[in-house]
Amino acid sequence: MKKFWLSLWTKALLFALCLAPFLRLLWRIYRGDLTANPIEFITHTTGDWTIRFLMITLAITPLRAVLNQPQLIRFRRMLGLFAFFYACSHFATWFWLDKSFDVHEMWDDIVKRRFITVGMAGLLLMAPLAVTSTAGWVRRLGFRRWQLLHRLIYFTALAGVIHYYWLVKSDIRPPLRYAAVLAVLMLLRLAVMVKKKAANSARKPVPANI
Ligand code: HEM
């Protein structure tokens, strides 16, 4: 199993899988197969994939522990970057197709519509994570500080869930499902942290004068 996770092919396959929804969307645009409301269709598709990739990225750490597969960590950066990629496409769809690059209209929407405000906050929080996702930035910031910065992803995911909850008009079940997934992922993460701390303190040598 370890060999499978460490193979270059696995990473290439995952990359292709992550890109597939975008290529499928491009194909539908090319064929003009975008339902009666193309802008809404593109906005919803890219929004859906943003929140999915955020959840998948957050699932990596608990999955490593639960499945006892530490090698899974090598996919976390790619998944996080895909979340950012879909978020940028989502934002670009709105700014380009919905707002026609009108900065004033864009600003009006950001300050007047709370679901846009919180969505924008989610996107802005993702930017430093994408920039500092390289090994060079881990070295520059030091692992502890880098790790602390990257906990922002929880706030991004929370902003995404609130954004979704505030924008739906009738059926609140889909955003609530993501809220439940996020809650479970955070609890699992907490359990992993507590277990790690307990293992570390058990490993610490007992001082000789006790
Ligand atoms: C963390 C960042 C974000 C996430 C996770 C996210 C996610 C989503 C999701 C899941 C949907 C609904 C899709 C559906 O109904 O199938 C959506 C819709 C939408 N999002 Fe976002 N989004 C984010 C950021 C943004 C930003 C920055 C903007 C614009 C500034 C934006 C504008 C919109 C708009 C206009 C809609 C459609 C609203 C409607 O149909 O009434 N989102 N987003």
Side-chain angles (χ1 to χ4, degrees):
M1 199 66 181
K2 189 176 166 189
K3 226 173 158 185
F4 172 76
W5 293 129
L6 293 178
S7 150
L8 204 67
W9 288 107
T10 313
K11 216 169 186 176
L13 179 69
L14 183 67
F15 183 88
L17 281 175
C18 293
L19 198 61
F22 189 73
L23 295 180
R24 187 161 180 264
L25 181 61
L26 288 184
W27 179 243
R28 290 189 70 155
I29 293 171
Y30 172 72
R31 297 206 31 216
D33 174 21
L34 291 174
T35 72
N37 190 338
I39 300 179
E40 187 184 276
F41 181 79
I42 301 172
T43 313
H44 285 198
T45 306
T46 48
D48 283 338
W49 282 102
T50 305
I51 202 159
R52 283 174 195 152
F53 273 105
L54 279 170
M55 299 295 159
I56 297 170
T57 308
L58 281 173
I60 292 293
T61 299
L63 272 182
R64 287 175 74 205
V66 172
L67 305 176
N68 195 22
Q69 297 292 330
Q71 301 83 9
L72 284 176
I73 195 71
R74 64 193 295 262
F75 306 118
R76 197 173 57 180
R77 177 171 178 254
M78 189 204 289
L79 291 165
L81 285 174
F82 265 106
F84 185 59
F85 169 72
Y86 281 100
C88 289
S89 319
H90 185 55
F91 171 76
T93 308
W94 173 77
F95 190 34
W96 177 14
L97 302 180
D98 209 358
K99 301 287 147 215
S100 312
F101 296 118
D102 185 329
V103 180
H104 295 291
E105 227 190 276
M106 174 183 113
W107 184 247
D108 258 14
D109 241 15
I110 292 175
V111 287
K112 282 191 190 140
R113 300 168 85 188
R114 61 180 187 168
F115 86 90
I116 294 285
T117 318
V118 78
M120 206 62 212
L123 177 67
L124 291 177
L125 284 174
M126 281 171 113
L129 305 189
V131 171
T132 61
S133 67
T134 61
W137 272 102
V138 182
R139 240 177 292 118
R140 237 166 281 159
L141 290 172
F143 183 65
R144 293 295 307 163
R145 250 185 296 168
W146 181 87
Q147 204 178 29
L148 213 62
L149 175 71
H150 279 252
R151 294 222 170 108
L152 281 180
I153 191 170
Y154 285 102
F155 293 98
T156 297
L158 188 62
V161 169
I162 297 172
H163 167 75
Y164 197 179
Y165 181 76
W166 276 345
L167 73 87
V168 289
K169 277 133 201 146
S170 50
D171 187 6
I172 57 165
R173 281 172 304 174
L176 287 186
R177 269 200 289 271
Y178 282 112
V181 170
L182 182 60
V184 169
L185 288 175
M186 286 175 92
L187 284 175
L188 280 174
R189 177 79 174 229
L190 206 70
V192 171
M193 265 165 68
V194 170
K195 207 173 147 195
K196 237 187 208 167
K197 265 213 170 114
N200 280 347
S201 48
R203 239 181 275 133
K204 263 189 199 148
V206 181
N209 57 349
I210 290 181

